[in-house]
Amino acid sequence: MPEPHRSPARSALGPLVLIAAIVGAGAAAFAYTAGWLSPERLTPSKLVDALTPPSGPPLGHRRNHAKGICFTGLFEANGAGAALSRAQVFSQGQYPVLGRFNLGTPDPNAADAMERVRGLGLRIATPDGQEWRSAMIDLPFFPVATPQGFYELLVASGSKEPDAMKNFAAAHPEIAAFGAWAKSAPWTASYAEERFNSLNSFVFTDGSDAEHVVRWSLLPAAAPVDVAPEDLAKRGADFLNQDITERVAAGPQRWTMTVTVANPGDPTADPSKAWPADRRTIEVGTLVVQKIEAEADGPCRDINFDPTVLPAGIKTSDDPFPAARSAAYSISYNRRTAEAASYPRTTPGAKP
Amino acid sequence: MTGTHRRFTPLQRLLHWLMAAAILAMLFIGVGMVSTVTPKYLALVSLHKPLGIAILVLALIRLALRLSHGAPALPADLPEPMKLAAVLSHWALYALMIGMPLLGWGMLSAASYPVVLAGGIHLPSILPPSDRLHTLLWDAHYFLAFAFFALILLHVAAALFHALVRRDGVFEAMAPTPTRDEAAPAE
């Protein structure tokens, strides 16, 4: 045992410098880990900030896909998916669903006819207590190959520099396919006629622990009817919400869920590249939308459709987007819940 | 609360150093995960939750040991303000070790996120879904993490001050090394 020793004569300078150095190094390591020493690091906050429209952030709303409408219904699994994943959601049966149709815009008051990207958020719950959340869009592939590319796209499209988009396209040639799709793909007048795609790849693990890299889609039962964009522009700003409300009131709307399995060598980490059409695809069940509710006081309002909330039997792949989306959705969720007072929490004219 | 023995028990010391590593890792994981969009984000989040629950369990065990076994007395000649700082900072550390995991668990519950640990273990929700509660708990979790780290730096500085400058046996009371008197504990 060292004897208690108190000799003020002993020089404390050396030990004090050492202590300061140790504490300083700890603080510096922490600051580095927090990203404070690397301003070039793409943080979730920067990504979400880049979504802010010139008019300011949509207080109390999702930072993207801000305009939406809630639905509830069922997922009817036919059992075929059990060959790919041991998640209970693929065992034959019916599982409750909460979801949201939405537009790919940070403007909660956008006119429906103006938005090219339509989305669907989904949460399927199973009796084993697990959840599968997914946020899908109607594009056949994502506009950019990486989260960094997405950030640069947001910065370029918000930039006042005349060459910003041209320079972006030169650095990210994959954006050309999105441009071609946006120009040529038909428009429909209904969420019920849209196909929604996961775009990101995920890994399914089956009962024998074999892994399959997959993407999934929801294929509409309603036949798509092409409508010219100029005709859509003549409709009311909320025609999509009105249409889906009327359709579902008249009867449940259905989508077939298909799961497509990658071949070895397919680009699983790059959602800007569609897989060839001949890949093995199996129908795993049907999404049945039974009830529509306005978002303002609807059950989807406070749900974060984080695509990394997955049941055992589904996990993320080498696709970098689900992680980036999860990080950004979390920031968006934190901001909008903190701003709840700014959100009109009841539907105009609805129950008090 | 204070005993006549000179060192914490071997189990208390083991828990202290195990938790020191776990809590430091936890704080770095936390501050790192909220600053990145790379796939590391998911790996860090999936470490953060089970590690947080492990720290909660260990902290409760440790608190029980502290209450039953006490702690070695501080040196009699330690100035009163330093004694007070030592006592207050230790109880603040206990409050944070137990409070931070509960705040995290509560904020996930209030946000309707499933709380999943390693191996697909689900924890029950401990709070109803609520924007207001989520915001309150999230802010508390976030800002207290920085306070926790600052307190740990202070704790390290004080421990080193005892070990290197005052050499008064306070550091040795929690040192990870066994000593000769271990075979015959003071109590």
Side-chain angles (χ1 to χ4, degrees), chain A residues 241-304:
Chain A
N241 285 356
Q242 282 156 11
D243 166 86
I244 197 70
T245 306
E246 285 162 17
R247 282 188 194 233
V248 174
Q253 299 296 303
R254 291 184 161 79
W255 285 255
T256 301
M257 183 183 280
T258 63
V259 174
T260 300
V261 185
N263 277 8
D266 281 345
T268 57
D270 182 353
S272 73
K273 299 206 165 44
W275 294 340
D278 65 349
R279 294 298 181 256
R280 179 159 73 113
T281 297
I282 58 174
E283 294 185 1
V284 297
T286 306
L287 170 67
V288 186
V289 172
Q290 297 170 311
K291 187 179 176 196
I292 297 288
E293 288 172 81
E295 184 190 57
D297 40 13
C300 72
R301 185 191 66 200
D302 298 334
I303 297 295
N304 176 0

Side-chain angles (χ1 to χ4, degrees), chain A residues 1-6 10 12 15-16 18-19 22-23 26-27 29-30 33-34 36 41-44 129-131 133 302-304 308-309 316 323-324 326-327 330 333-334 337-338 340 345, chain B residues 6-7 27-28 31-39 41-42 77 110-114 120 122 131-132 134-135 138 145-146 149 153 156-157 160-161 164-169 172 179-181:
Chain A
M1 265 317 274
E3 273 301 299
H5 206 299
R6 49 202 91 88
R10 178 189 300 277
L16 287 178
L18 179 66
I19 293 169
I22 290 171
V23 168
F30 200 67
T33 310
W36 299 336
R41 186 188 301 177
L42 177 54
T43 64
Q130 309 231 18
E131 281 185 20
R133 299 190 191 184
D302 298 334
I303 297 295
N304 176 0
T308 65
V309 174
T316 52
S326 179
S330 171
Y333 180 84
N334 292 345
T337 50
R345 307 210 123 206
Chain B
R6 286 199 268 195
R7 303 196 71 191
L27 288 163
F28 276 87
V31 80
M33 77 188 194
V34 297
S35 76
T36 182
V37 299
T38 65
Y41 172 80
L42 291 179
D77 67 336
S112 309
Y113 290 119
H122 281 243
D131 283 349
R132 195 165 299 174
H134 173 266
T135 301
W138 196 92
F146 292 96
F149 189 70
L153 288 183
V156 169
L160 291 172
F161 185 72
L164 303 176
V165 179
R166 281 185 55 92
R167 302 178 184 223
D168 55 6
E172 285 71 20
T179 46
R180 271 168 298 152
D181 67 339

Side-chain angles (χ1 to χ4, degrees), chain B residues 93-168:
Chain B
L93 286 167
Y94 272 102
L96 287 165
M97 285 189 282
I98 294 166
M100 286 292 281
L102 289 174
L103 287 171
W105 188 357
M107 91 194 193
L108 291 176
S109 301
S112 309
Y113 290 119
V115 186
V116 186
L117 306 184
I121 300 166
H122 281 243
L123 293 184
S125 181
I126 52 171
L127 286 173
S130 158
D131 283 349
R132 195 165 299 174
L133 271 178
H134 173 266
T135 301
L136 190 73
L137 299 176
W138 196 92
D139 285 347
H141 194 72
Y142 182 81
F143 290 109
L144 286 176
F146 292 96
F148 201 172
F149 189 70
L151 196 57
I152 286 173
L153 288 183
L154 198 68
H155 181 73
V156 169
L160 291 172
F161 185 72
H162 283 290
L164 303 176
V165 179
R166 281 185 55 92
R167 302 178 184 223
D168 55 6

Side-chain angles (χ1 to χ4, degrees), chain A residues 77-301:
Chain A
N78 62 20
L84 292 174
S85 167
R86 59 169 179 252
Q88 191 175 33
V89 67
F90 297 115
S91 302
Q92 193 172 6
Q94 294 189 331
Y95 308 103
V97 162
L98 170 62
R100 181 174 180 268
F101 296 106
N102 59 71
L103 295 178
T105 168
D107 177 4
N109 303 309
D112 291 351
M114 304 306 291
E115 300 306 327
R116 200 64 176 104
V117 178
R118 298 171 181 173
L120 183 151
L122 197 62
R123 185 188 75 177
I124 311 178
T126 42
D128 59 2
Q130 309 231 18
E131 281 185 20
W132 181 16
R133 299 190 191 184
S134 180
M136 310 160 73
I137 52 177
D138 62 347
L139 300 182
F141 43 77
F142 202 65
V144 287
T146 61
Q148 179 71 35
F150 184 62
Y151 173 71
E152 288 166 19
L153 171 62
L154 293 173
V155 171
S157 52
S159 168
K160 291 189 174 68
E161 296 285 321
D163 288 339
M165 276 311 289
K166 212 175 80 189
N167 294 339
F168 173 82
H172 298 273
E174 72 270 21
I175 192 74
F178 170 71
W181 177 87
K183 269 202 206 78
S184 66
W187 293 73
T188 76
S190 178
Y191 281 127
E193 297 172 8
E194 292 293 337
R195 171 187 172 130
F196 298 100
N197 307 298
S198 73
L199 300 185
N200 298 129
S201 70
F202 290 81
V203 177
F204 279 13
T205 308
D206 68 25
S208 60
D209 287 337
E211 296 190 336
H212 315 270
V213 185
V214 304
R215 291 170 175 166
W216 56 79
S217 296
L218 289 170
L219 279 53
V225 177
D226 298 354
V227 182
E230 51 273 24
D231 291 334
L232 291 181
K234 291 177 198 145
R235 304 196 182 191
D238 300 322
F239 75 86
L240 284 174
N241 285 356
Q242 282 156 11
D243 166 86
I244 197 70
T245 306
E246 285 162 17
R247 282 188 194 233
V248 174
Q253 299 296 303
R254 291 184 161 79
W255 285 255
T256 301
M257 183 183 280
T258 63
V259 174
T260 300
V261 185
N263 277 8
D266 281 345
T268 57
D270 182 353
S272 73
K273 299 206 165 44
W275 294 340
D278 65 349
R279 294 298 181 256
R280 179 159 73 113
T281 297
I282 58 174
E283 294 185 1
V284 297
T286 306
L287 170 67
V288 186
V289 172
Q290 297 170 311
K291 187 179 176 196
I292 297 288
E293 288 172 81
E295 184 190 57
D297 40 13
C300 72
R301 185 191 66 200

